[in-house]
Amino acid sequence: MSSTTKNAQGIELPTQIIRIAGAQIPCGTNIQANKVEILKALDWAKENQVDHLLTPECALSGYLHGWEQKIDEIKDALKEIEEHLSNCNLCLHLGTNFEEEYFYEKAVNRNEIRHYDKGGLITAVTYKTFVLNDKESVLGKQEYEPISIVNLIEPSQETPYVPQATGMICNDMWGASEARKDPLPTKIKNMHLDLILHATNGRKMELDDPQMIVFDSWHDAFLRMTAANVIIPILTVDSCSDWEWDGSEETAEYYHTSSQSGVIDINGWQTDVPRVGRQYFSYDLDVTIKPDEKFYIQMKTREQEQDSSDPV
């Protein structure tokens, strides 16, 4: 049975729901182990009718430098992932370090999210802006390079508008204090997007590390404030392993994620994803109208309810 949603003008529109999902998986220096984790996540997403799946930052390549000596292995693994994806009927947003070959006609290394459509074809690439070159060995996105935009639904005559998303990678969300520049959410606030795809892979700590409380509080507060300030839902995914994970099952569930994985919007966390080990999670996102318009409707409804409850 079809349903409708009213916009700010009271016009009923066909309700559009997409299923977004994240794969909180281990990733490290073993490319083959990383590949297997991604393929398993794709199988889960296909089985659960996911529309958009996000992996952690550098899920295929691993985060630390040294991946650039394995570029042929990464490219072969990527081909296998792309072939597998083409039979899954879902969009993949894959985090990896990769060698790009068109920047100033020279091969350069990038930390990126590769955005694939449901046919397994790449439609856009998000490059990390605020990189740590001593660890990543990659070139950051330059200010003159455009912010990549991804369609969340294929355009058709039936859709009132096409909801869109953009990607962010780790410090692009957390801020750029070392670069003395504004974090990217500041720049996208007025783009009226429907979703932020945030792939991260922060430094892991043991569960009893006292610093974990401080980092946890900071990451949580930052995500809450960002979602509130830009009025855009955020799908954020961290890895569950140390950067040097070698594929060992013994250490795949040893560390606490550096930040919460899940979906958060202006009303707070919409998911409750465990912080340890492999976790696949999904959320049904209503993209019938823009998030800021939806928030405006919520505020007007609350005002009307408050007025009706006030004594005369």
Side-chain angles (χ1 to χ4, degrees):
M1 183 175 66
S2 62
S3 61
T4 60
T5 300
K6 288 185 178 180
N7 64 11
Q9 290 73 42
I11 300 172
E12 291 190 347
L13 303 172
T15 300
Q16 297 184 102
I17 304 293
I18 60 171
R19 180 162 293 175
I20 58 177
Q24 178 180 291
I25 52 179
C27 53
T29 57
N30 187 326
I31 305 301
Q32 297 307 310
N34 296 345
K35 178 190 69 177
V36 169
E37 294 293 335
I38 295 165
L39 293 175
K40 288 180 179 179
L42 283 172
D43 288 340
W44 170 87
K46 178 182 179 180
E47 182 178 346
N48 287 272
Q49 299 180 313
V50 166
D51 294 304
H52 292 269
L53 175 67
L54 176 66
T55 75
E57 173 187 18
C58 301
L60 178 57
S61 65
Y63 177 75
L64 294 177
H65 63 78
W67 67 270
E68 60 271 27
Q69 277 76 55
K70 305 175 184 178
I71 189 62
D72 289 338
E73 183 181 5
I74 292 172
K75 289 181 177 179
D76 288 342
L78 184 61
K79 289 179 182 178
E80 188 173 341
I81 292 169
E82 291 172 342
E83 182 178 351
H84 194 79
L85 173 63
S86 66
N87 297 312
C88 291
N89 192 36
L90 61 96
C91 300
L92 174 64
H93 307 277
L94 175 65
T96 187
N97 284 327
F98 201 64
E99 181 184 79
E100 298 290 353
E101 301 176 350
Y102 57 85
F103 192 81
Y104 288 132
E105 299 182 352
K106 295 181 180 179
V108 296
N109 297 333
R110 296 280 202 172
N111 184 336
E112 60 190 46
I113 302 174
R114 299 172 66 83
H115 304 282
Y116 293 91
D117 66 14
K118 290 189 174 183
L121 300 176
I122 192 164
T123 60
V125 181
T126 292
Y127 297 132
K128 187 175 182 179
T129 300
F130 303 119
V131 303
L132 301 176
N133 283 315
D134 59 327
K135 290 184 175 66
E136 299 175 52
S137 300
V138 296
L139 178 70
K141 185 175 79 68
Q142 307 299 306
E143 291 185 4
Y144 55 81
E145 294 180 84
I147 294 176
S148 296
I149 302 297
V150 179
N151 288 340
L152 295 173
I153 292 177
E154 287 297 316
S156 71
Q157 293 181 345
E158 289 75 28
T159 55
Y161 77 94
V162 178
Q164 295 180 318
T166 191
M168 291 186 186
I169 304 175
C170 200
N171 289 338
D172 296 345
M173 171 70 72
W174 306 131
S177 57
E178 294 180 3
R180 298 184 183 277
K181 295 181 180 180
D182 291 336
L184 290 193
T186 305
K187 297 183 178 181
I188 70 159
K189 182 174 183 178
N190 296 321
M191 295 176 68
H192 303 289
L193 298 173
D194 299 86
L195 182 65
I196 294 173
L197 299 159
H198 180 234
T200 190
N201 191 346
R203 183 170 67 89
K204 303 305 183 294
M205 302 179 187
E206 296 185 11
L207 299 181
D208 59 353
D209 191 322
Q211 292 188 74
M212 193 68 235
I213 298 174
V214 177
F215 279 98
D216 250 2
S217 299
W218 187 83
H219 282 128
D220 183 69
F222 200 100
L223 284 164
R224 288 178 182 273
M225 288 303 299
T226 299
N229 286 336
V230 301
I231 318 181
I232 302 173
I234 301 168
L235 169 60
T236 180
V237 183
D238 194 5
S239 76
C240 63
S241 64
D242 182 74
W243 291 335
E244 296 182 353
W245 183 66
D246 61 1
S248 170
E249 191 59 36
E250 293 181 2
T251 55
E253 300 189 1
Y254 182 77
Y255 290 95
H256 199 279
T257 60
S258 63
S259 61
Q260 179 74 50
S261 297
V263 176
I264 187 170
D265 63 19
I266 195 168
N267 297 309
W269 287 103
Q270 302 302 308
T271 53
D272 185 14
V273 181
R275 300 292 298 275
V276 177
R278 298 177 183 86
Q279 305 292 339
Y280 308 133
F281 62 92
S282 66
Y283 177 75
D284 289 342
L285 181 67
D286 188 339
V287 292
T288 310
I289 57 178
K290 292 291 184 184
D292 49 1
E293 184 177 4
K294 188 183 303 181
F295 178 66
Y296 170 79
I297 295 172
Q298 290 176 353
M299 292 298 99
K300 292 295 291 184
T301 301
R302 290 175 187 174
E303 289 176 4
Q304 292 169 358
E305 291 174 350
Q306 181 64 41
D307 290 341
S308 64
S309 64
D310 287 342
V312 177

